[in-house]
Amino acid sequence: MHDDSPPTRLDMLRFARRVVEQQTSRQLALIDRWIADEKRRERERRQGEERRPPEPEWLIQFGLNRQNVDAVHTGSCWAAAKSGRCRPVTRQQALDTLRRQVPACVHCRPDNALGILD
């Protein structure tokens, strides 16, 4: 039979509890997905750092035409990083380049690091 009486206060409280319980479980599931995504991103970042090749010890900076050699840098030089026109080289290649009168970077002084005195 149908009961036409209005819901009791207890019925309303039980209904409110079910609604809150459903909403809470959905929100917790959403937060759990966010946590899983963040863990994945963190794992990928660590793997990227582990797989990154070591920083080169010496760099040669090329001119705008990519043929002229403009300068020699150490691998950690901030000016070389800003130029975007550098290529890694061996210690011997850096020495040979400096001996051909290519200027050393005034910021990182690779000539001093290589033991070349003016």
Side-chain angles (χ1 to χ4, degrees):
M1 287 196 289
H2 291 269
D3 190 6
D4 291 336
S5 62
T8 66
R9 184 170 167 81
L10 184 59
D11 292 335
M12 296 298 285
L13 288 171
R14 286 180 179 148
F15 174 76
R17 186 185 190 292
R18 284 194 310 270
V19 169
V20 169
E21 187 177 17
Q22 289 173 354
Q23 290 175 343
T24 303
S25 66
R26 286 185 190 135
Q27 291 302 313
L28 286 174
L30 179 62
I31 291 171
D32 288 343
R33 281 197 307 270
W34 291 344
I35 290 170
D37 289 345
E38 190 60 31
K39 284 181 178 178
R40 178 187 47 79
R41 281 191 290 272
E42 182 65 24
R43 185 176 59 252
E44 290 171 353
R45 186 193 58 75
R46 276 194 316 272
Q47 288 173 346
E49 287 175 0
E50 291 168 0
R51 293 177 182 165
R52 182 176 293 136
E55 184 177 273
E57 288 188 57
W58 312 103
L59 298 168
I60 291 180
Q61 178 179 331
F62 290 91
L64 293 176
N65 66 3
R66 302 280 186 198
Q67 293 178 2
N68 298 336
V69 177
D70 285 349
V72 179
H73 298 272
T74 62
S76 59
C77 181
W78 65 268
K82 278 185 86 170
S83 80
R85 299 188 320 250
C86 293
R87 297 291 175 260
V89 293
T90 64
R91 177 183 175 85
Q92 188 59 47
Q93 290 170 318
L95 280 168
D96 293 344
T97 304
L98 287 171
R99 288 183 183 132
R100 289 196 313 262
Q101 303 303 313
V102 172
C105 173
V106 297
H107 303 289
C108 64
R109 300 306 304 185
D111 49 348
N112 292 344
L114 288 166
I116 296 177
L117 303 174
D118 289 338

